Amino acid sequence: MADSGSSGARSSKGSIFYAMVSRGVTILAEFTTARGNFGTIVKKILESLPPGNDRASYAYGEYVFHLVQDDGMIFLCIADAGMASVLPYQFLKDLMERWRAAYGDKGKTAPAFAMTEDFRPTMKRQMEHFSSDAGLDRVTKVQGQVEEVKQVMMDNIHKVLARGEKLDTILDRTEQLNANALGYKKRSTALKRAMWFKNVKITCILFLVLALIVYFVVAGACGGLSFPRC
């Protein structure tokens, strides 16, 4: 069960209030600053999560579950829906690095909750840091050097659990939506380019017509096409 503690200075953009590290469905360390049935929902996500999806986000009411999978380990956090996704993912990346430095491959054989007591202070400290305005400033400064966060569809977990749909189905549909969006973007760019050339062509024709009108008006005033009176 998750241990709760007091949160630090919260960012105006929301906060991270739950963090967990697991090996598959076996939770090795867990910490939260809030009360709720988040652990139950996390367990269901872990049970339904397909392997190989390195990053994913799932909406649940006013909250979003963000997770990263790496070498059989799962690093997950819950944040307010209004929080920019780059912050939770940076938090998870930082947590993963600290976990590797502290335990190496011990998580691959450790029993459930074996690291909770030892790793709880780190989770609490980093959770408060990334939930604070200082954490926001830090990530903003290095955002240009951080690899782009892969965007995935955030489905409502209530609906997922209610209809028994596997999360890999959702992720597959997300990839299709991403592909469709990319195709639409390419078609939109091609259409804009075609419209630009069409506008340039119309402008040139109008300019030519206007030049001819001016020429004939001036020629008529000057007595002929060779302007004999001018």
Side-chain angles (χ1 to χ4, degrees):
M1 179 177 292
D3 294 297
S4 52
S6 58
S7 61
R10 293 163 67 105
S11 166
S12 58
K13 298 299 184 180
S15 66
I16 302 169
F17 56 86
Y18 176 94
M20 178 225 71
V21 181
S22 75
R23 179 187 67 251
V25 298
T26 303
I27 298 176
L28 303 176
E30 186 182 34
F31 176 77
T32 183
T33 61
R35 294 183 180 276
N37 63 334
F38 303 113
T40 301
I41 301 170
V42 166
K43 184 178 180 180
K44 289 186 177 296
I45 291 177
L46 296 178
E47 292 173 349
S48 304
L49 191 67
N53 293 287
D54 56 346
R55 297 184 182 188
S57 296
Y58 303 100
Y60 179 77
E62 299 177 354
Y63 314 117
V64 180
F65 293 65
H66 303 277
L67 64 89
V68 174
Q69 295 191 73
D70 181 69
D71 194 24
M73 303 296 294
I74 300 173
F75 300 83
L76 180 148
C77 70
I78 308 175
D80 294 320
M83 192 177 213
S85 60
V86 65
L87 281 166
Y89 279 118
Q90 277 298 98
F91 165 74
L92 291 175
K93 179 182 178 182
D94 178 85
L95 202 67
M96 181 169 59
E97 292 173 350
R98 293 174 186 275
W99 176 274
R100 299 297 188 198
Y103 305 115
D105 291 332
K106 292 181 180 179
K108 294 183 177 181
T109 56
F113 300 103
M115 284 80 166
T116 291
E117 290 297 324
D118 183 61
F119 201 58
R120 181 197 303 156
T122 299
M123 300 173 82
K124 180 179 183 293
R125 182 178 63 253
Q126 297 311 110
M127 187 185 297
E128 292 176 350
H129 173 70
F130 281 90
S131 296
S132 67
D133 288 325
L136 178 61
D137 292 341
R138 173 183 178 273
V139 172
T140 300
K141 290 178 181 179
V142 302
Q143 191 170 4
Q145 302 173 1
V146 179
E147 66 178 85
E148 182 179 354
V149 175
K150 180 181 179 182
Q151 296 298 317
V152 295
M153 181 176 61
M154 294 189 295
D155 201 2
N156 187 296
I157 291 180
H158 281 306
K159 296 180 181 179
V160 176
L161 300 181
R163 63 176 175 256
E165 184 174 68
K166 291 185 178 180
L167 298 183
D168 55 349
T169 302
I170 296 174
L171 294 174
D172 289 342
R173 187 160 65 247
T174 298
E175 295 300 326
Q176 183 61 44
L177 289 174
N178 288 340
N180 293 341
L182 180 60
Y184 173 79
K185 182 178 181 180
K186 290 181 178 179
R187 291 192 298 272
S188 177
T189 301
L191 179 60
K192 288 180 180 179
R193 186 179 296 112
M195 291 299 295
W196 183 84
F197 281 114
K198 183 177 180 180
N199 289 337
V200 170
K201 183 178 179 180
I202 292 174
T203 301
C204 290
I205 292 174
L206 290 176
F207 179 79
L208 179 60
V209 170
L210 180 60
L212 288 173
I213 292 174
V214 171
Y215 171 76
F216 284 116
V217 169
V218 174
C222 291
L225 299 180
S226 59
F227 308 104
R229 295 201 301 266
C230 296

